[in-house]
Amino acid sequence: YGMGTTKALGEALIGLKQLCEDKKIQQACGAYGDALLEDARNKPAGDASIAAEQEQAKKLYSDLCAATGEGCLSFAQAFEPDPKARFTLFQKGCDKGQFDACSELAAAYEDGKGVEKNAKTAQQIFEKACQRGHAASCGRLAVFYLEGSTPEDQQKGAQLSKDACDDGDPRGCGNYGTCLATGTGVEKNPAGAAPYLKRACAQGIQNACDTLQ
């Protein structure tokens, strides 16, 4: 959420609370929940108000999940440790058109977390979300093609990786940089790979950091 200073966060809490509770604006309720959790994180351990803020955010997300995919996704990521329950929430969020939730749902199928592992279903979900312009899903989808057995698959995987990177997905940048470094799906170009790998590494993609070394 990133409200910055404590003063700015305090002002945001007041404004978002009004928009949520008085105006009943769903997007504001989600942002209010995010701000409450950030405020709780900024407080010293043992502060008496932390639990109350966390509980309030939990209720906001739970109520929102009945109407929006964002609420289901936020509840799963912030409050639900059980893999099966998280999977159910990601499914609900995806069904409501929240593509971050779809990406998490596909990843659950891919990794077998909360559901039986099913790579084909994972690929299908990533494909649908990617087609709707979800960059992270395109980045995940690219891996399926890069691991394919034909040059055409690898070319498609490289292109998906580049497109995902151009749309802001660090995984896509790392994958495309690796494609350039190794000549997978594209003409080998180690010098051209470096900017993509550095960009991905700077955003926490460890594989990209390892490839740079």
Side-chain angles (χ1 to χ4, degrees), residues 1-4 9-10 12-13 16 28-44 47 49-62 64 70-80:
Y1 191 79
M3 289 306 303
L9 181 56
L13 281 166
L16 290 169
C29 291
Y32 183 37
D34 296 342
L36 284 166
L37 290 181
E38 182 169 345
D39 191 50
R41 286 192 295 269
N42 289 341
K43 289 179 176 176
D47 189 299
S49 65
I50 291 177
E53 287 189 318
Q54 291 173 336
E55 201 57 38
Q56 191 173 1
K58 186 175 184 179
K59 186 178 187 308
L60 283 166
Y61 292 153
S62 179
L64 275 175
E70 287 78 5
C72 300
L73 177 67
S74 295
F75 189 94
Q77 293 179 326
F79 294 110
E80 186 51 74

Side-chain angles (χ1 to χ4, degrees), residues 12 24 45 69 76 84 87 99 125 128 152 162 189:
K24 310 298 182 186
K84 289 185 178 180
F87 171 83
F99 294 119
I125 297 170
K128 288 179 181 178
E152 290 78 15
K162 185 178 186 303
N189 183 356

